[in-house]
Amino acid sequence: MTGVQTCALPILIAGPSEYVGRSVTLLVGVLTIPATYLLAREIGGRHEAWIAATLLAVSSAHTLATSHPAWSHALAPLLLTMGIWQVARSLKQDRPSGLAAAGAWLGLALQIHLTMLATLPGIAIAIAIKRWQWIRTPWPYVAAIVEIGRAHV
């Protein structure tokens, strides 16, 4: 389901209203806060996770640019955060199979907005630096196939 379909489905169910589209982006914006907590907890710890989630919750940029306008691009930060969380989790647990799930999240983010493409080199470099031996396994390539496949569905 694309971002446009995600925003259009509630309109079909509830009927046309200026509040329906905004409620979807509001919900997605709110869900980005626990996703940020998960990512920060995986990278830093519990204390850092609360700080990150709180800062995002009170961020005017997050509210005005992501959670307020009724557009499909509002899904991109949530999907990107979940993808990076999955990569960080895979790296921390030394489990390359988790990259397939990361590929799915990042593929969805890429499907929502092409600017998410700019994050992929950094993610690939982080994986190559932290777990260079994973390049010999099939999992980075499976993740890339899942991501490309998901982005073009």
Side-chain angles (χ1 to χ4, degrees), residues 42 86-96 98 131 134:
E42 201 67 49
Q86 191 66 47
V87 169
R89 187 173 177 202
S90 297
L91 290 171
K92 190 173 184 180
Q93 295 177 353
D94 196 19
R95 199 176 47 128
R131 299 281 192 264
W134 285 6

Side-chain angles (χ1 to χ4, degrees), residues 9-111:
L9 185 62
I11 293 172
L12 289 173
I13 293 169
S17 168
E18 63 189 55
Y19 302 109
V20 174
R22 291 182 190 269
S23 65
V24 172
T25 56
L26 171 69
L27 177 64
V28 168
V30 169
L31 289 175
T32 306
I33 296 168
T36 301
Y37 175 86
L38 290 172
L39 175 60
R41 188 183 69 192
E42 201 67 49
I43 293 172
R46 199 171 201 194
H47 181 69
E48 292 82 356
W50 279 110
I51 292 171
T54 303
L55 287 173
L56 185 64
V58 299
S59 169
S60 61
H62 178 65
T63 302
L64 296 175
T66 306
S67 302
H68 189 65
W71 56 6
S72 61
H73 180 62
L75 292 165
L78 172 63
L79 298 172
L80 180 65
T81 303
M82 293 301 292
I84 295 173
W85 168 66
Q86 191 66 47
V87 169
R89 187 173 177 202
S90 297
L91 290 171
K92 190 173 184 180
Q93 295 177 353
D94 196 19
R95 199 176 47 128
S97 60
L99 294 178
W105 287 113
L106 295 171
L108 286 169
L110 187 59
Q111 184 181 21

